[in-house]
Amino acid sequence: MAAALVSFILGQLATITFETAWQELKLVIGVEEEVRKLQSNFEAIQEVVEDAEVKQVVDKSVKRWIDKLKDVAYDMEDVLDEWTTALSKLKTDEAESASVPKKKVRLSLLPFNLGGQVVRGYDISDKIRRINVELDEIAKEKDRYHFARSEIAQPRRLERTTAYVDVSEIKGRNDVRDNIVSKLTSDEGSIQTVSIIGMCGIGKTALAQLVVNHVKGRNSFDDVVWVCVSDFFDQIKIAREILEGLGCGSSRDLISLQGLLDNIAEKVRDRKVFIVFDDVWTEREADWEALRAALQHCKHGIRILVTTRKESVVKVIRSSHVFRLELLSDEICWEILKSKAYFGRGESERRDLEDVGMRIAKKCKGLALAAKELGSLLRQKRRRVEWERVLNSGFWELEIAEEYIFRPLLLSYYDLPSTIRRCLLYCAIFPKDYVMGKDELIVHWKMQGFLNSVDDDSEMELKGEEYFEYLADRSLFQDLERDDYGNIFVGKMHDLVHDCLLFMTKDEIVTKEVDAKETWNLDLVSKRARHSSIKISQPNSFPICINGVEKLRTLITIGESYDVTSEGLKKLFSEAKCLRLLDFQLPRIRKVSEEIQVPEEIGNLIHLRYLTFLSYQSLELPESVCDLRNLEYLNIVNCSELPKEMEKLINLKYLYTRDCNRLSHYPKGIGRLTSLQRLDRIIARVDCNHTKDFSVGDFQNLDLLRGDLWLELEGNWINIEEVERAKLHKKIHLMELRVVFRSNNAGHEMKDNFIKALNPRPNFHIHFF
């Protein structure tokens, strides 16, 4: 996450340096030099931060250095956001603009009222100086660690695998073993490639070892070769291992790839050969081409078995058959676990531990690696209370997790580009077994600034889809569901992956589950929390007080039966001024007749991009919501009236109000939100251009609207000029209108007049309800 964050800050600094407004800020003495120092320090850190992120796993002092770097980078991002927000307000607020004298005034000296904060240029510059002092220390401190520069590739630190295994320890895979052996021993084609794919720890290597053992026992092949490919794909090294496996002795005297491949082609010509490539990562087809060509000289056909975590590898190596490993059952996990844990125990002791052991096996969620390592851990614990402690701990809390369980998973993590790592780590904020909608997750990534490598919003969505598919391809998401076109739309994260992400983020992402019935407080002071989710699973109260929220960027609440007080919300909005994403599910246990009033203090959240209020009671939003100049996403349920000055939300792209049945009209200012892309429902006057209420013609400038729209028309007749003013033909991304006439007088004539005046483009769908 640190690498992507540093890169993003450098991009922001480079952009803002050339803006006219930033030139004004330079008038504050010394700021230009401070900005240059910031850039220089961040650039120096960027060269080594990739290596630091890898080393933080094994070196706690490096982890502390990374944490300090992230804190400073987050603070700098907030300062830049504060400044650009102030400039945006100055440009768009007509009242403030009118109060500025016509003569040139230094922007650096102007006051801006943002969320109750008076901000001046010299306030910004003072914050930059303080951040630079901290960053300067961090930049100097990096030299003591002797980090490698980013262009120096990091080797994969993974144990080498072999074909030898105690087959009695491999359980639950005999059926798939027999199926794979059947494919390998068939007479199809000159080269048959079978692939085993699955997430880390599911048992791919063990299954391949089981297949090799079975094949050797049947004497199906003249030669069986095992090649561990887990390091970076080295064609010469792999060719040498194949030759040694074919019984050619040492091939160290051969130094060219051509010479090695000539020997392989000659050696396999008259023999029946089976080769296993274990733990393949490369996605470059060119890496395989020369080797494949050499193996085609075999007259009897080559059989290849590949194990990998990546779907893309399967395509590159042209697999004839693909076996996607299923998770093991809880019963099989228990068999693996107890074979380790019960060693050296008497019968009575085994009976005493069996019930807790079986529950621990369920924690493995079908992963052989977890069952094996937990079994080894439990073998050292003699007392039942120690087993129960393991049962009640998350994987990330166990002493074996870092060394034996997470280390293989971290290979998948570090194989990701730094921009995608940041997106993956963020997923730790959701509870275990949470069904993540692809579109929902992409919006979260956008609002957090994780997709800002492109400027165009539609390009951001495409980038988000690419990232989601990239993670799914590497088996980091599971239980994927696809639409009729084969596109993934939802997925889950395995508990082990989730725990590994919690381990990586530790205090940065804080998740809390509450099931007690008393009022409670949440303390984040000692946590360095930037993102937090609170799951309330039984009737309870939202924390009356959350301490340490000053740096919090994300707050998600999950639960259907809890209460919240105005005092609690007021305190939260007054203190958590760095919030960028607030997803709040308001209570359902109040009386239906009561109305929930959101405090005016929500206007303090000047950084806020994403706001969701899901309420089971009538909800009232204050006018101060319109001060949220950075707000891009607003989703509300049961809101009785929208704020009147909606036109101030100049960056709003998503407005969801479909479940606001109490809304009787929409403010006219929505028609000025030219950034709006998604609007699921709106009520519009169709009989006139109303002075306050939204009218059909107010669609005129909303040319970025996409998808479909539920349109409720108010009025007893059709004003043709007003409908024509909507210029529907310019909304090229809007696909469908679902129209309801709220008037009882609506008939075929009104519908026909509406369609005629609307003049929709061909293939545009309009449905009347």
Side-chain angles (χ1 to χ4, degrees), residues 383-476:
R383 297 179 299 158
R384 181 183 173 90
V385 66
E386 293 178 296
W387 281 44
E388 289 175 342
R389 192 175 298 125
V390 171
L391 173 64
N392 296 322
S393 300
F395 276 115
W396 65 283
E397 299 172 294
L398 300 174
E399 58 264 36
I400 63 165
E402 185 176 338
E403 183 68 25
Y404 299 106
I405 297 180
F406 292 158
R407 188 65 60 84
L409 271 172
L410 289 175
L411 291 177
S412 290
Y413 172 78
Y414 288 118
D415 187 59
L416 302 172
S418 61
T419 50
I420 303 183
R421 287 181 209 163
R422 199 179 184 192
C423 294
L424 177 65
L425 288 175
Y426 179 80
C427 296
I429 197 171
F430 299 107
K432 290 182 179 180
D433 294 324
Y434 185 81
V435 179
M436 291 182 286
K438 180 179 69 175
D439 292 343
E440 172 196 18
L441 193 55
I442 289 172
V443 170
H444 276 241
W445 289 342
K446 283 172 63 178
M447 299 304 116
Q448 296 291 353
F450 298 166
L451 306 178
N452 283 351
S453 58
V454 290
D455 296 327
D456 182 75
D457 203 74
S458 59
E459 288 296 318
M460 281 192 197
E461 290 198 5
L462 290 174
K463 180 67 70 176
E465 289 187 12
E466 177 187 324
Y467 287 2
F468 192 94
E469 297 276 353
Y470 198 93
L471 292 170
D473 177 81
R474 281 146 181 78
S475 306
L476 292 167

